[in-house]
Amino acid sequence: AKDADGAVGKLQIIADPLDATIKRVGRFGWRGTSATVLQQTSAALNSDMGVTSAMYPTHGCGLATDGTACRTADAKGAELSEQDVELIVRYASLLAVPAARHFPGQQPLGTPGDKVTAQTPAQNAAELAAENLMQARVKRGGTLFAAARCVACHTASLTTGEHKFAELRKQVIRPYTDLLLHDMGPELADNYPQGVATGQEWRTAPLWGIGLLKTINANTRYLHDGRARTIEEAVLWHGGQGEKSRERFKALSADDRQQMVDFINSL
């Protein structure tokens, strides 16, 4: 509560959909409206795809012009078995996190394909020099990122707790999020409050893997509504509790701003 920039986050507390007496911290979704991977998966199946499961056994029939067919479908029971949902949850939970790039000791971005082209010593030396330069830029970008106090919300590391999968227990992870809700100002508001989150409060988005988005989607956009075309635009849209960090970013030289972007893209 004593953060120098007033970047004080708050928890989204979620009742378990199957037992309202059980309360958990919301960690998934733009406003932390799901507490577990099971809840996030079941909610996405239901509201995004119209597929029912044990957790959400009915469709959104009230949204249909004629709900008769919808209610008839509901009467048949859940469309996905608990076993099938568990397989999806297990898959999503155990997906590997992309490795950070351009840090000392890390491999350069990309791996050789099936066809490896022989390179001259000069080409190898040029690639090594370019990688060393990028490592230096990423290191300085990380220092600038911390100096701008972006880490007040995009916390560099967290330690996991207990988990049903042994691989995920007591692990130091670096997602660059505090998983808390922060007021990002009226510019980013959508006026759609959810739980304890107002229409201009958002869960801090994790940054790990963000630099690899373009490898799976050439039309990559940023922020909750895709309004930002670049990382720099996304930073400049920060308001509210992120305003002071944004102003520090704006005050940097063009090359320093790019080095901070290089750092974010390396995560």
Side-chain angles (χ1 to χ4, degrees), residues 92-265:
S93 298
L94 296 174
L95 282 173
V97 178
R101 295 151 317 280
H102 305 305
F103 285 89
Q106 296 289 325
Q107 292 296 315
L109 177 62
T111 54
D114 295 332
K115 183 179 179 181
V116 179
T117 304
Q119 296 193 108
T120 66
Q123 288 173 320
N124 286 329
E127 281 196 4
L128 181 60
E131 177 59 24
N132 287 338
L133 176 60
M134 181 55 74
Q135 288 184 11
R137 291 182 63 83
V138 164
K139 182 177 180 180
R140 175 161 165 73
T143 301
L144 294 169
F145 185 84
R149 298 210 67 249
C150 301
V151 292
C153 303
H154 292 285
T155 307
S157 67
L158 300 172
T159 302
T160 64
E162 296 299 329
H163 200 281
K164 65 179 180 180
F165 297 129
E167 300 95 322
L168 304 181
R169 296 174 198 152
K170 307 297 182 184
Q171 297 290 324
V172 176
I173 59 174
R174 293 178 173 81
Y176 284 85
T177 176
D178 58 6
L179 296 173
L180 299 178
L181 299 171
H182 289 274
D183 187 330
M184 298 306 293
E187 295 89 349
L188 284 182
D190 66 355
N191 301 313
Y192 182 64
Q194 291 179 279
V196 300
T198 69
Q200 58 185 46
E201 289 180 320
W202 303 93
R203 181 207 60 162
T204 304
L207 297 180
W208 56 3
I210 197 169
L212 295 177
L213 291 180
K214 289 183 179 178
T215 65
I216 58 173
N217 183 0
N219 191 36
T220 293
R221 310 284 289 197
Y222 304 94
L223 298 178
H224 67 281
D225 55 4
R227 69 177 67 186
R229 296 165 297 179
T230 64
I231 294 291
E232 185 169 23
E233 283 189 7
V235 174
L236 294 174
W237 271 110
H238 281 51
Q241 294 180 356
E243 181 179 358
K244 291 185 178 179
S245 290
R246 179 194 69 197
E247 293 307 305
R248 294 185 187 105
F249 177 78
K250 288 169 65 176
L252 296 173
S253 68
D255 189 53
D256 280 351
R257 288 196 300 271
Q258 184 56 50
Q259 287 185 77
M260 190 189 294
V261 171
D262 289 342
F263 167 74
I264 294 171
N265 274 320

